[in-house]
Amino acid sequence: MTEPSEAGPQEPERQGKTRDRLAPRLFGRPVPLALVCWLALIWMMLWGDLSFGTLVGGLIAGAVVTWLLPLPVLDPGIRFRPLPFVRFLAWFLLDLVTSTARVVFWVLRSPSPPTAIVPVRLRTSSEAMTVMIMIGVTTVPGSLVLGADRERRELTIHVLGRSGPHAVVAALTQDEVTALETRIVAAFGTRADRKELG
């Protein structure tokens, strides 16, 4: 379960005013301006006409649709923190370079590079964080998520280009995924997610 916001005691009133400006009420129902603008853009693309009349028509259509069919307010469970994000990005880019070099080395050296299937335990119970970790693992060359067990908080990962005993490969993979998890939760996790990791 994630908290709706991470604001201090003085913030809820200010956030409420900002939300009211971004989603003014029409006959008691909120009309989110960002969604109306997005629908207007799609309207113009569908008509293939960038005229002022098409823009006005799209805005009216978007306002009517969002007023008649209001969407529930959903919390995706993701927060953005600039400084931890920069740290994560730097670490992730370095990991991409080193992993690519390792895979290329093994592919050029041997027609059948070493492979392993490794179960890795996660500490986070957040679905959003787990999905981001899976994307991060799969993006890095030499690793691929084969499966995920939500109840056990476990990923099954195929590892390419790691030589040595299976226990050593498993320990290295676990350490790398744990480091990735720590950085992703620091950059994108809610307060509850960060507290869960300790």
Side-chain angles (χ1 to χ4, degrees), residues 15 26 30 45 60 69 75 80 84-85 90 97 100 114 159 171 185:
Q15 286 189 342
L26 182 63
M45 291 169 60
I60 293 172
L69 305 169
D75 180 6
F80 178 75
F85 172 74
V97 171
T100 301
V159 181
V185 171

Side-chain angles (χ1 to χ4, degrees), residues 61-114:
V64 170
V65 167
T66 56
W67 186 82
L68 289 176
L69 305 169
L71 294 174
V73 178
L74 299 176
D75 180 6
I78 297 173
R79 308 291 186 268
F80 178 75
R81 292 179 187 76
L83 188 57
F85 172 74
V86 170
R87 291 188 192 127
F88 158 73
L89 193 59
W91 177 85
F92 188 70
L93 291 174
L94 179 62
D95 192 28
L96 276 175
V97 171
T98 56
S99 297
T100 301
R102 184 178 68 243
V103 170
V104 168
F105 169 78
W106 277 107
V107 168
L108 293 176
R109 179 181 178 184
S110 170
S112 56

Side-chain angles (χ1 to χ4, degrees), residues 32-64:
L33 297 181
L35 182 56
V36 170
C37 293
W38 174 250
L39 291 174
L41 177 63
I42 292 185
W43 178 272
M44 294 172 71
M45 291 169 60
L46 288 173
W47 281 100
D49 183 12
L50 301 179
S51 67
F52 179 74
T54 309
L55 172 62
V56 173
L59 291 172
I60 293 172
V64 170

